[in-house]
Amino acid sequence: MALPVAEWQGRTARLWAALEPALRERLAAASLQDAVRLGCDVLRSEEDEESALVQLCHRAPTDKKPEAASWYREQGNQEFKRGRYQAALRLYSKAASHELPGSPEVSVCFANRSAALLHLRHFEVCLEDIARAESHGYPDRLLPKVLLRKAECLLCLGRLQDAQDVLRVLESKIALDGVMTTHLTRLKKLSQLKVQLGEKERCPEPARGEHGGTRGEPEIWEENSRISGASSSLSLSFDAERGRHLVASQDIVAGQSLVKEEAFVSVLCPGESLALQDGDTAWDTRATNADLYCHRCLRQLLASVPCQGCSYAKYCSQDCADMAWQQYHRTECSLGALLLTLGVFCHVALRTVLLAGFAEVSRLVEGSHHGDKNPQSPEGNCRPLSEADAGAGSRGVPGCDNSGRYQSSYQALFHLLPHTEHHSPEHKFLCTLSVVALCKQLQAAGLEAAVLSQESPQQWSKAKTCEKTSDELSPELKTVAEAMLRHVLQLQCNAQAITVMQELGPGDGAVVDKKPVRLATGFFPVLSLLNHSCCPNTSVSFSGTAATVRAAQPISSGQEVLHCYGPHWCRMRVAERQQLLSQYFFKCRCPACLEELESGAKSVVSIRNSFCCPKCQAQMQGEEDTLCCSNEACATSASRDHLSGRLQDLQQQIKKALDLLRVGKADQAVKMLLKCQMDAGTFLSPEHLLMGEMEDHLAQVYATLGKWQEAARHLKKSIEIVEMHHGPSSVETGHELFKLAQILFNGFAVSEALSTIQRAEGILSVHFGPQSAQIQELQEMKACLSELPRNILQRT
């Protein structure tokens, strides 16, 4: 959730409406500095608003609750007994996040989690959890079973000597009872067997890329000397109409990397569910982004390392946890509930100023008061900046340093346009009160010194109590609030969604279906230089907090490099695109929009996603509530509302079919999907995207049943429709071909699988690069098929 919770938005809207007209006018016209000052005055006179905000924070608690830890641990034990080790793993991690640091119970959580990891064959991570359990004071009486687990992991990893050492420690440590002796005998026999079999019989944990796969050659990359993280094939330009933008300084080929940038700041989006709602007596067992990804580097979590101060933040390693604490979490830790309540934009704004440091924040805020490089009024004498340019020509472009270099820095971020004059007064008021309330809480919690970086790193482990009790924000925190307000307003136009391909369903089938989901929100100063087009010439992908921009098609020298902010021409009509783009305060004039607006012709999206006549299947047309058949010989008409209702009912039936598949009732799911398909054929265009989605779902069900030929037949129909909508070289087509390759591989259709793999590789490498996980998996499948005996290859 980018903005604050709905209740806080409602309260600020009512407060705005109740203000004196003169005060509303002052706030609407106020500079960022004056807005903060007026916001402080409003909150000081409206104490009920702050109290209400505190109450709202109770709905999203982030403190540690030992009773929650016990409940999660017991739920994990139940899942473990049922053999559902992945679910148990998540629940043990939730339990660990609620345990108090140093308590014996947290060691039990790690030990229990290590048992689940062993069953899931994550041996290295299992050993890490065993080490955590031991370091956190795991009870001595329970140690034998953990040591046995450790020995078993070492055996499976082929570390025979280490396993024997653990067994010797165990034998010398305790007097073994009968049951334990049985276990030791079994493990000793396994150890002897492993010694006899030698190196070839070891069973290390499978590693991606080891099965004959060949990693793609690393691409040649030459960084631009004047734009950090950008290719030398780009140049930075500026004009009044397009602002700062990137232009190709030489011909660029499809798939070439153009920008490689680490986010200056990123914040994990929490997900759909929070831990508690009013009146709840149990805790949420669902896994959200907050449970699945590292809160610092955004890597996928297997066995999370919890923050020692709160139950919310989780990390992939102790190193990430320590780094986050030093950089920003020492300040954010106690404010977790408030940050969840005020939304991701406020959280990003706070973390931005913490990472930048108060000295740099203060310098730039003060400079903006005196008009230094005012981002609202960039100098008009800026000219294109190429590799050959002298530094003097660069200094007029906002965000460039004194040498004329544009870096992925706080200075560049600060000079992204906040569009203060374009935001509605109500929205600015909401953002102002939210930022001021957050800064007042920083002061009240004694965190002002940490925010202003007045403590040495050795003192960062504990936030000292602030002696200041005044209700008035200090001048320094007003500066921080002004910078944060600027960043919250900037985010509406410059926030970059960090996405990840997330598996749909349990992910344990032969064919894995994935979709892109928003994982985090961040600031990327260099990526923000790219202007929008509904028909872009680039593709953006993410690995953790790093973004890579690649050319999705050849780009000629002198052509602007463009990125799609979301509304793509092949996904929605021009009116819908223009409506969505209004949040960026510009009207799109890209070729796709101009063609649709000027010709007045119906968009391809409208035609393909149209209703068809229930009688003759011709396209239904009309702009009013009543649609008429386009076939003059057929006078059929139908209500738009009636057909839209049928479409909604159909979508609900498809959802029920997928729910049946998720609970293992594939046969019933097939019957329901086939019935949906027949119904859809009576009123939807054959090219309708939903028709393609149903073919995709049927392929998924047949693959679950092991009917590979049927699965491939339906997926090919889906690909035809996807290509029609998105194009044969689109990322959407690439994902569908990847699934088809999996189906053909599992169905032993070797020749067709190899040709599909080749085509999928060609498309996906352009969008994601040769090192991506999907490319590596395709190469592994290709290597496996190529190693088959020649007579089998000839037959298939």
Side-chain angles (χ1 to χ4, degrees):
M1 185 170 55
L3 296 177
V5 295
E7 293 88 343
W8 178 244
Q9 292 187 50
R11 292 192 71 91
T12 58
R14 290 190 291 272
L15 182 56
W16 171 262
L19 293 177
E20 294 291 332
L23 180 54
R24 285 207 300 269
E25 287 183 15
R26 289 173 61 199
L27 282 163
S31 65
L32 296 177
Q33 183 182 24
D34 290 339
V36 168
R37 180 177 56 78
L38 292 169
C40 289
D41 293 342
V42 169
L43 273 188
R44 189 164 49 247
S45 62
E46 299 287 344
E47 295 182 1
D48 289 347
E49 300 304 321
E50 288 190 79
S51 300
L53 184 58
V54 170
Q55 291 301 312
L56 290 174
C57 291
H58 292 161
R59 300 184 183 182
T62 59
D63 52 329
K64 291 183 179 290
K65 295 183 182 296
E67 63 274 20
S70 299
W71 188 85
Y72 280 126
R73 191 168 61 249
E74 181 54 37
Q75 295 297 310
N77 291 340
Q78 292 178 21
E79 294 290 355
F80 187 90
K81 290 174 184 175
R82 297 186 189 111
R84 296 167 59 176
Y85 302 117
Q86 193 68 46
L89 184 71
R90 300 292 184 208
L91 289 163
Y92 290 142
S93 293
K94 282 180 175 282
S97 69
H98 276 282
E99 293 288 8
L100 297 175
S103 67
E105 288 78 9
V106 73
S107 67
V108 176
C109 290
F110 292 138
N112 289 2
R113 193 169 69 180
S114 73
L117 288 164
L118 176 64
H119 281 280
L120 293 168
R121 300 186 65 79
H122 294 296
F123 303 122
E124 293 283 6
V125 187
C126 177
L127 290 174
E128 291 174 8
D129 256 2
I130 290 171
R132 291 187 187 106
E134 291 177 315
S135 67
H136 282 80
Y138 190 66
D140 194 65
R141 60 185 174 80
L142 300 175
L143 200 56
K145 64 179 181 181
V146 171
L147 291 176
L148 280 171
R149 193 174 301 144
K150 185 175 183 178
E152 191 170 350
C153 279
L154 292 168
L155 282 169
C156 289
L157 289 169
R159 294 164 57 180
L160 305 183
Q161 186 58 53
D162 291 340
Q164 290 170 349
D165 292 344
V166 171
L167 291 176
R168 278 196 290 270
V169 169
L170 180 57
E171 286 178 315
S172 64
K173 189 174 181 61
I174 60 172
L176 301 174
D177 59 29
V179 175
M180 196 58 66
T181 303
T182 302
H183 284 307
L184 279 175
T185 301
R186 178 173 62 84
L187 287 169
K188 285 178 180 177
K189 288 180 179 178
L190 281 172
S191 179
Q192 292 167 1
L193 180 63
K194 290 289 180 180
V195 172
Q196 293 171 6
L197 291 174
E199 295 289 330
K200 291 184 180 180
E201 294 298 320
R202 293 180 183 180
C203 52
E205 187 176 4
R208 183 171 294 278
E210 287 185 1
H211 184 71
T214 56
R215 289 194 172 273
E217 290 294 322
E219 62 180 322
I220 299 173
W221 169 262
E222 184 181 350
E223 186 166 352
N224 198 301
S225 64
R226 309 200 67 75
I227 314 166
S228 70
S231 164
S232 58
S233 59
L234 301 180
S235 60
L236 174 61
S237 292
F238 173 84
D239 61 43
E241 181 182 352
R242 293 177 291 178
R244 292 164 293 188
H245 58 281
L246 295 178
V247 174
S249 56
Q250 61 189 54
D251 290 344
I252 294 168
V253 298
Q256 183 176 334
S257 293
L258 303 179
V259 175
K260 297 179 180 179
E261 183 181 19
E262 280 281 343
F264 180 86
V265 60
S266 64
V267 170
L268 189 71
C269 298
E272 295 180 358
S273 62
L274 296 175
L276 284 172
Q277 297 296 324
D278 288 341
D280 281 354
T281 56
W283 288 270
D284 194 350
T285 60
R286 291 172 293 177
T288 66
N289 285 349
D291 305 303
L292 300 175
Y293 297 92
C294 176
H295 286 225
R296 178 177 175 271
C297 71
L298 304 183
R299 290 191 182 95
Q300 193 160 4
L301 293 175
L302 189 59
S304 58
V305 175
C307 170
Q308 294 196 10
C310 69
S311 63
Y312 179 66
K314 304 172 185 70
Y315 304 95
C316 64
S317 65
Q318 192 60 51
D319 285 345
C320 254
D322 293 342
M323 188 72 72
W325 182 263
Q326 290 183 14
Q327 291 180 330
Y328 51 81
H329 193 62
R330 64 191 178 98
T331 304
E332 297 176 358
C333 186
S334 62
L335 303 175
L338 180 60
L339 292 170
L340 287 171
T341 302
L342 292 179
V344 171
F345 280 7
C346 273
H347 197 164
V348 172
L350 172 62
R351 190 171 292 183
T352 299
V353 299
L354 293 174
L355 288 169
F358 180 72
E360 182 70 354
V361 170
S362 178
R363 179 182 73 82
L364 289 168
V365 169
E366 287 298 317
S368 70
H369 295 166
H370 299 95
D372 295 347
K373 293 185 181 180
N374 187 345
Q376 296 294 87
S377 310
E379 295 177 21
N381 60 353
C382 303
R383 56 189 178 85
L385 309 170
S386 67
E387 288 281 283
D389 278 334
S394 316
R395 294 183 187 128
V397 175
C400 289
D401 59 23
N402 291 333
S403 68
R405 179 173 164 80
Y406 189 94
Q407 300 193 65
S408 184
S409 62
Y410 182 66
Q411 175 163 311
L413 188 159
F414 187 88
H415 285 89
L416 296 174
L417 294 180
H419 291 288
T420 309
E421 72 281 10
H422 292 130
H423 291 277
S424 71
E426 295 85 352
H427 178 72
K428 280 167 47 179
F429 185 63
L430 167 66
C431 296
T432 300
L433 288 196
S434 300
V435 163
V436 169
L438 179 52
C439 287
K440 290 186 75 171
Q441 185 57 37
L442 284 168
Q443 184 167 282
L447 296 170
E448 181 178 357
V451 175
L452 304 183
S453 302
Q454 293 174 353
E455 298 171 321
S456 66
Q458 290 73 24
Q459 297 173 295
W460 285 357
S461 58
K462 291 184 181 180
K464 64 183 183 182
T465 302
C466 182
E467 297 178 359
K468 185 167 183 171
T469 58
S470 169
D471 198 38
E472 175 68 24
L473 279 184
S474 68
E476 293 82 7
L477 278 182
K478 284 183 178 177
T479 298
V480 169
E482 182 181 341
M484 286 175 60
L485 178 56
R486 179 188 201 89
H487 300 326
V488 171
L489 296 177
Q490 285 173 326
L491 281 163
Q492 181 161 324
C493 298
N494 294 284
Q496 176 62 55
I498 299 174
T499 58
V500 64
M501 295 300 295
Q502 204 167 77
E503 292 180 359
L504 302 177
D508 53 4
V511 178
V512 178
D513 196 10
K514 296 184 178 183
K515 69 171 182 178
V517 297
R518 187 183 193 121
L519 176 60
T521 297
F523 267 130
F524 291 81
V526 176
L527 183 54
S528 293
L529 292 173
L530 296 180
N531 282 332
H532 167 80
S533 172
C534 299
C535 46
N537 51 20
T538 63
S539 181
V540 181
S541 61
F542 297 91
S543 177
T545 57
T548 301
V549 181
R550 292 182 177 84
Q553 61 192 51
I555 304 174
S556 302
S557 179
Q559 188 178 348
E560 186 176 358
V561 178
L562 299 163
H563 169 42
C564 180
Y565 292 180
H568 199 283
W569 73 273
C570 64
R571 298 190 187 103
M572 58 183 71
R573 303 171 181 86
V574 64
E576 296 169 321
R577 300 200 304 269
Q578 295 285 348
Q579 177 62 33
L580 281 174
L581 288 169
S582 63
Q583 66 174 302
Y584 299 103
F585 308 118
F586 71 85
K587 186 160 184 159
C588 184
R589 309 290 292 175
C590 74
C593 286
L594 289 176
E595 183 180 350
E596 288 184 51
L597 289 169
E598 291 174 0
S599 68
K602 219 173 184 184
S603 72
V604 174
V605 177
S606 300
I607 295 170
R608 289 175 179 161
N609 282 339
S610 63
F611 295 115
C612 70
C613 176
K615 288 187 179 179
C616 70
Q617 274 66 60
Q619 183 186 340
M620 299 293 283
Q621 59 187 16
E623 301 298 328
E624 304 301 326
D625 293 337
T626 301
L627 299 177
C628 299
C629 180
S630 58
N631 179 6
E632 294 181 0
C634 176
T636 302
S637 63
S639 161
R640 184 187 295 275
D641 288 342
H642 172 69
L643 293 174
S644 297
R646 285 188 66 183
L647 178 59
Q648 290 177 2
D649 291 342
L650 179 64
Q651 290 169 328
Q652 287 299 315
Q653 290 302 307
I654 293 171
K655 183 178 181 300
K656 289 179 181 178
L658 295 178
D659 289 339
L660 287 172
L661 178 61
R662 273 189 282 273
V663 296
K665 298 179 180 179
D667 290 325
Q668 294 181 42
V670 167
K671 292 177 182 177
M672 185 172 284
L673 283 171
L674 289 173
K675 184 176 180 299
C676 289
Q677 197 175 42
M678 288 182 63
D679 182 35
T682 64
F683 74 102
L684 292 183
S685 160
E687 300 172 349
H688 199 288
L689 265 179
L690 192 59
M691 300 295 279
E693 289 175 17
M694 282 188 285
E695 296 287 2
D696 187 279
H697 297 324
L698 281 165
Q700 183 184 359
V701 178
Y702 281 120
T704 303
L705 294 170
K707 297 181 178 180
W708 305 111
Q709 288 185 342
E710 278 294 299
R713 183 172 65 85
H714 285 285
L715 196 53
K716 288 173 186 176
K717 291 180 181 178
S718 170
I719 290 171
E720 289 177 8
I721 296 174
V722 169
E723 284 183 328
M724 211 175 294
H725 281 266
H726 302 290
S729 60
S730 65
V731 66
E732 290 84 359
T733 299
H735 289 315
E736 289 296 292
L737 286 168
F738 177 80
K739 287 189 284 187
L740 180 60
Q742 290 179 311
I743 287 172
L744 294 169
F745 176 86
N746 285 286
F748 227 67
V750 179
S751 178
E752 194 176 359
L754 287 170
S755 63
T756 303
I757 288 169
Q758 184 175 1
R759 189 178 167 205
E761 272 189 285
I763 295 172
L764 293 175
S765 62
V766 167
H767 294 283
F768 300 107
Q771 306 295 325
S772 69
Q774 284 184 310
I775 295 294
Q776 297 305 310
E777 189 169 339
L778 287 168
Q779 290 179 348
E780 289 171 13
M781 285 191 284
K782 181 167 61 176
C784 183
L785 292 173
S786 300
E787 290 169 4
L788 292 173
R790 185 176 299 276
N791 61 335
I792 295 178
L793 291 173
Q794 288 172 346
R795 288 203 306 269
T796 57

